[in-house]
Amino acid sequence: MATGKRFRAAVIGGSGYGGAELIRRLLVHPDVELVRVASVDFVGEPLSAADPALEQVTELVFEGIAPAEAARGVDVVLLGLPHGVAAPAVDAIARAHGGAAPGGMPRIVDMSGDFRLKDAAAYARWYRRDHPCPERLADFVYGLPELDRAAIRAARFVASPGCFATAIELALLPLARAGLLEGVVHVQGITGSSGSGATPSAGTHHPVRAGNLRAYKPLEHQHVPEITEALTRAGARDLELRLVPVSAPLARGILATAFVELPEEWTPARLDALYREAFAGEPFVRVPRRRLPEVAAVSGSNFAEVGVAAGEPRGGRRTVALLGALDNLVKGGAGQAIESMNLMLGLDERASLADPGPWPP
């Protein structure tokens, strides 16, 4: 059925939480028509089999087709596949369509961690497996618009950042650009259960998760190297990130808190001005005026919040806490992937992403 929309999109790996968020946003996109959803689960069933909210919203069904076939005849492919599975899918699409006539190769936005790092050895270290397609690492642009907007616009391949990575990078980006981020930085990140995916596990089972806080992968989380790479490109020096993730009894959201030591002349007012100037004009980053960032304010939306809390000076130094909050499935996941898609296609960056989310969350 013709829709009059300018572009056609396919989603590969659409049965998980990230895929569901991609689908929801694409179905209401003013310029992009979702024409195909590929999955190894629910093949032949309506999309509502994985996301009940899509009941009678769309006639699309999950198709059990190979990535190269799923990418046929579309302008952009968005991948919601797991780490290690996404890279071979990208390679198959590129091999099948890369030699076609100009315009035949679709743009690709990958939500996995397979192409976020430039170093195959670093990938092997943090993801505990050899990279499936190291020859394609150089093709990808890192998809944080607040850092790489111009490069994303020109890209054919984008690696969308991780959820912890996005929250922490946004919280620390102004310091990196100001030359104030150096050495060891300690971070605690608290996250909702949807970040663990749709497949239940012992750590995400509701009786264990509800009413509980539990650290996992302390100092070993796979988002650490991409955060270090991104912030170093922004101006950080000799950065060493010490991240302790904590699972929390909520479905959506991340609150990250990073601790740094700054010279005492960096007063709360001066830091506040630095952050407001850094994010002035950014469509999806807010610096609240009367409170610190919180998950409820961004849940269900593509907005992120950042903020600063500065202690009293001691011995010429001041301890500063930098906070970032976002929805891990939207700005930390599918929403940011669509943001990059919009930039790649020359569309309004805010298309299908401008809603503020529900309240109460």
Side-chain angles (χ1 to χ4, degrees), residues 51-221:
D51 183 353
L54 298 181
E55 186 75 38
Q56 298 183 18
V57 173
T58 175
E59 296 179 359
L60 290 172
V61 300
F62 289 109
E63 299 183 46
I65 54 178
E69 179 64 15
R72 177 179 48 81
V74 301
D75 302 286
V76 61
V77 177
L78 300 106
L79 276 71
L81 297 170
H83 314 312
V85 178
V90 168
D91 189 58
I93 294 168
R95 289 179 182 278
H97 300 281
M105 175 66 192
R107 292 170 175 84
I108 293 177
V109 183
D110 176 27
M111 289 171 55
S112 83
D114 280 354
F115 295 101
R116 294 172 187 160
L117 305 179
K118 293 302 181 185
D119 183 0
Y123 179 92
R125 152 78 173 88
W126 289 92
Y127 286 86
R128 292 178 169 79
R129 65 183 67 160
D130 290 336
H131 197 283
C133 305
E135 68 278 7
R136 297 204 179 275
L137 288 172
D139 296 337
F140 276 78
V141 168
Y142 192 63
L144 185 71
E146 293 77 13
L147 177 63
D148 287 319
R149 185 172 280 109
I152 294 168
R153 283 196 177 103
R156 301 291 305 189
F157 302 87
V158 165
S160 205
C163 49
F164 275 126
T166 301
I168 295 166
E169 287 161 6
L170 292 177
L172 294 173
L173 190 56
L175 293 188
R177 285 177 166 160
L180 296 170
L181 195 61
E182 184 175 7
V184 176
V185 176
H186 297 92
V187 185
Q188 183 185 69
I190 302 173
T191 184
S193 57
S194 57
S196 300
T199 302
S201 69
T204 60
H205 190 44
H206 180 75
V208 175
R209 186 91 181 215
N212 191 18
L213 291 169
R214 179 177 59 86
Y216 69 101
K217 295 184 181 179
L219 310 178
E220 288 290 324
H221 196 279

Side-chain angles (χ1 to χ4, degrees), residues 163-164 167 189-195 209 246 248 250-256 294-296 298-300 324-330:
C163 49
F164 275 126
I190 302 173
T191 184
S193 57
S194 57
R209 186 91 181 215
V246 176
L250 67 162
R252 289 174 175 258
I254 284 179
L255 179 66
E294 55 185 287
V295 167
V298 295
S299 181
L326 50 72
D327 187 309
N328 56 292
L329 292 178
V330 196

Side-chain angles (χ1 to χ4, degrees), residues 21 25 28 252 283-286 291 294-305 325-327 330-331 350-361:
E21 191 68 41
R25 301 280 170 171
V28 298
R252 289 174 175 258
F284 292 115
V285 183
R286 304 190 298 229
R291 57 177 174 80
E294 55 185 287
V295 167
V298 295
S299 181
S301 83
N302 197 55
F303 289 92
E305 292 190 343
L326 50 72
D327 187 309
V330 196
K331 181 60 174 171
R350 301 165 296 175
S352 82
L353 300 171
D355 59 289
W359 184 262

Side-chain angles (χ1 to χ4, degrees), residues 171-172 256-260 271 275 292 307-311 318-323:
L172 294 173
T257 307
F259 301 91
V260 301
L271 284 165
Y275 271 67
L292 291 171
V308 181
R318 188 190 302 273
T319 299
V320 177
L322 298 314
L323 298 98

